[in-house]
């Protein structure tokens, strides 16, 4: 009887240890954060759609192409499980077709950052596809914002807005003339650059319009909405088995996403400088 009770006690202890072991590892798995590389960039082909107008940087030069090979080799070493890009999520089928086309041919003729960075990296990693997460149904009424400032006689705000745009264009054009592609990308992903991207919305744009005209706040809210929807898609498309992901977007978008990630316990940001060192 004593032997039987002793066996029962031992079995119960073993069972308890197994439960604790499984619970511990389950908790560890849940607490392990997924790494996210937010790679903010300027538009390589520079279609001129942004409010601020800057010069085009030649990413197709031999020097830049060598740098892109080095950058994408470092991304391959980082080894993201998925790569997300600034492509309308509603046109994913078109992106799949684009990705499946002749990559070598595209690399020699298409300067777009999706081709030169994302596609090049994904092919090296053996990925089957890229993931489009852009949301294009948000509004960005910049002309109405300027009109609202004028109607409200916000002369100081108009002057400040013009100075900010002019200073940004001057700074970027100076860097484009002086920096290498790698230096430009590292610079645009610094904390200072991210803060400048966000500050215009919350210090200047939001004030636009009379007290009963919220055109400024509306523009800012639409910008937040677009980026929130993009971040929602990242969350939905990132699966439990994905340990690392990369997000390639215009730097204005990654600046916003950086703010969202800081409040999301599921992700930790891996800096571009860390990946490229």
């Amino acid at each position: 009887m004593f032997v039987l009770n002793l066996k029962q006690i031992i079995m119960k202890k073993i069972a308890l240890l197994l439960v604790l072991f499984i619970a511990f590892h389950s908790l560890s798995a849940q607490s392990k954060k997924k790494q996210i590389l937010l790679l903010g960039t300027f538009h390589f082909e520079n279609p001129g759609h942004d409010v601020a107008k800057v010069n085009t940087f030649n990413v197709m030069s031999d020097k830049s192409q060598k740098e892109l090979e080095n950058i994408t080799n470092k991304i391959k070493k980082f080894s993201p499980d998925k790569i997300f890009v600034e492509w309308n999520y509603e046109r994913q089928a078109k992106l799949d077709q684009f990705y499946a086309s002749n990559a070598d041919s595209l690399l020699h003729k298409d300067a777009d950052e999706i081709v030169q960075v994302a596609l090049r990296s994904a092919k090296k990693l053996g990925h089957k596809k890229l993931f489009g997460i852009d949301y294009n149904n948000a509004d960005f009424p910049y002309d109405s914002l300027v009109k609202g400032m004028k109607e409200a006689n916000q002369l100081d705000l108009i002057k400040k807005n013009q100075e900010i745009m002019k200073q940004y264009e001057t700074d970027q054009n100076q860097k484009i003339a002086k920096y290498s592609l790698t230096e430009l990308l590292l610079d645009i992903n610094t904390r200072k650059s991210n803060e400048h991207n966000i500050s215009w919305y919350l210090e200047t744009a939001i004030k636009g319009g009379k007290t009963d005209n919220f055109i400024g706040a509306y523009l800012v809210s639409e910008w937040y909405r677009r980026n929130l929807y993009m971040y929602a898609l990242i969350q939905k498309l990132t699966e439990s088995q994905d340990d690392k992901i990369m997000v390639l977007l215009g730097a204005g978008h990654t600046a916003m996403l950086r703010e969202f990630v800081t409040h999301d316990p599921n992700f930790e940001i891996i800096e571009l400088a860390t990946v490229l060192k």
Side-chain angles (χ1 to χ4, degrees), residues 67-85:
E67 288 184 72
L68 282 164
E69 277 297 299
N70 179 60
I71 290 168
T72 52
N73 283 338
K74 294 292 179 66
I75 290 171
K76 179 184 177 182
K77 186 176 180 181
F78 171 64
S79 191
D81 297 297
K82 285 187 174 74
I83 297 177
F84 300 94
V85 296

Side-chain angles (χ1 to χ4, degrees), residues 21-35:
F21 178 81
I22 292 170
F24 173 78
H25 280 271
S26 176
L27 184 63
S28 297
Q30 290 175 5
S31 61
K32 183 182 178 182
K33 294 186 176 183
K34 298 179 184 297
Q35 295 183 337

Side-chain angles (χ1 to χ4, degrees), residues 143-157:
D143 290 341
S144 296
L145 172 66
V146 174
K147 181 182 177 182
M149 290 179 180
K150 291 178 180 177
E151 290 176 347
N153 201 32
Q154 294 172 310
L155 301 182
D156 289 342
L157 190 62

Side-chain angles (χ1 to χ4, degrees), residues 35-39 75 78 245-247 270-272 275:
Q35 295 183 337
I36 178 170
L37 170 61
L38 294 175
L39 205 172
I75 290 171
F78 171 64
I245 62 172
M246 175 179 127
V247 182
I270 302 300
E271 301 294 348
L272 178 63
V275 172

Side-chain angles (χ1 to χ4, degrees), residues 13-222:
K13 286 185 175 180
I14 291 173
L16 179 60
L17 286 171
L18 283 172
V19 170
L20 291 173
F21 178 81
I22 292 170
F24 173 78
H25 280 271
S26 176
L27 184 63
S28 297
Q30 290 175 5
S31 61
K32 183 182 178 182
K33 294 186 176 183
K34 298 179 184 297
Q35 295 183 337
I36 178 170
L37 170 61
L38 294 175
L39 205 172
T41 183
F42 57 95
H43 292 301
F44 288 2
E45 286 191 312
N46 192 12
H49 295 159
D50 294 333
V51 174
K53 308 302 179 186
V54 298
N55 297 332
T56 301
F57 184 91
N58 183 15
V59 300
M60 303 305 287
S61 69
D62 290 342
K63 183 176 185 298
S64 291
Q65 285 296 303
K66 289 178 182 178
E67 288 184 72
L68 282 164
E69 277 297 299
N70 179 60
I71 290 168
T72 52
N73 283 338
K74 294 292 179 66
I75 290 171
K76 179 184 177 182
K77 186 176 180 181
F78 171 64
S79 191
D81 297 297
K82 285 187 174 74
I83 297 177
F84 300 94
V85 296
E86 194 171 335
W87 184 291
N88 189 337
Y89 81 101
E90 295 178 312
R91 299 177 65 243
Q92 180 64 46
K94 193 72 175 178
L95 178 58
D96 292 342
Q97 181 183 356
F98 179 76
Y99 183 75
S101 63
N102 191 324
D104 291 334
S105 175
L106 286 172
L107 288 173
H108 290 96
K109 66 181 181 181
D110 194 333
D112 190 278
E113 62 271 14
I114 291 178
V115 171
Q116 293 299 323
V117 179
L119 187 146
R120 191 191 297 245
S121 297
K123 290 292 185 181
K124 288 181 178 181
L125 287 159
H127 288 187
K128 294 181 179 180
K129 63 187 297 181
L130 296 171
F131 294 84
I133 57 167
D134 199 5
Y135 176 79
N136 299 129
N137 295 322
D139 199 3
F140 196 86
Y142 184 76
D143 290 341
S144 296
L145 172 66
V146 174
K147 181 182 177 182
M149 290 179 180
K150 291 178 180 177
E151 290 176 347
N153 201 32
Q154 294 172 310
L155 301 182
D156 289 342
L157 190 62
I158 292 171
K159 181 181 178 182
K160 179 182 178 182
N161 185 51
Q162 291 173 339
E163 288 174 348
I164 289 172
M165 294 300 170
K166 186 65 178 177
Q167 187 61 53
Y168 176 79
E169 290 173 0
T170 300
D171 290 346
Q172 288 304 113
N173 286 334
Q174 288 177 347
K175 290 174 183 177
I176 285 172
K178 178 181 177 183
Y179 288 2
S180 67
L181 176 59
T182 304
E183 289 170 333
L184 279 173
L185 291 175
L186 286 171
D187 178 76
I188 209 170
N189 283 280
T190 59
R191 182 179 296 275
K192 181 179 179 181
S193 179
N194 282 303
E195 288 175 351
H196 281 170
N197 261 307
I198 296 176
S199 65
W200 178 80
Y201 293 95
L202 298 178
E203 293 180 12
T204 304
I206 197 170
K207 298 176 184 177
K210 296 179 181 179
T211 53
D212 61 348
N213 178 3
F214 294 94
I215 183 60
Y218 172 73
L219 181 148
V220 175
S221 69
E222 283 292 279

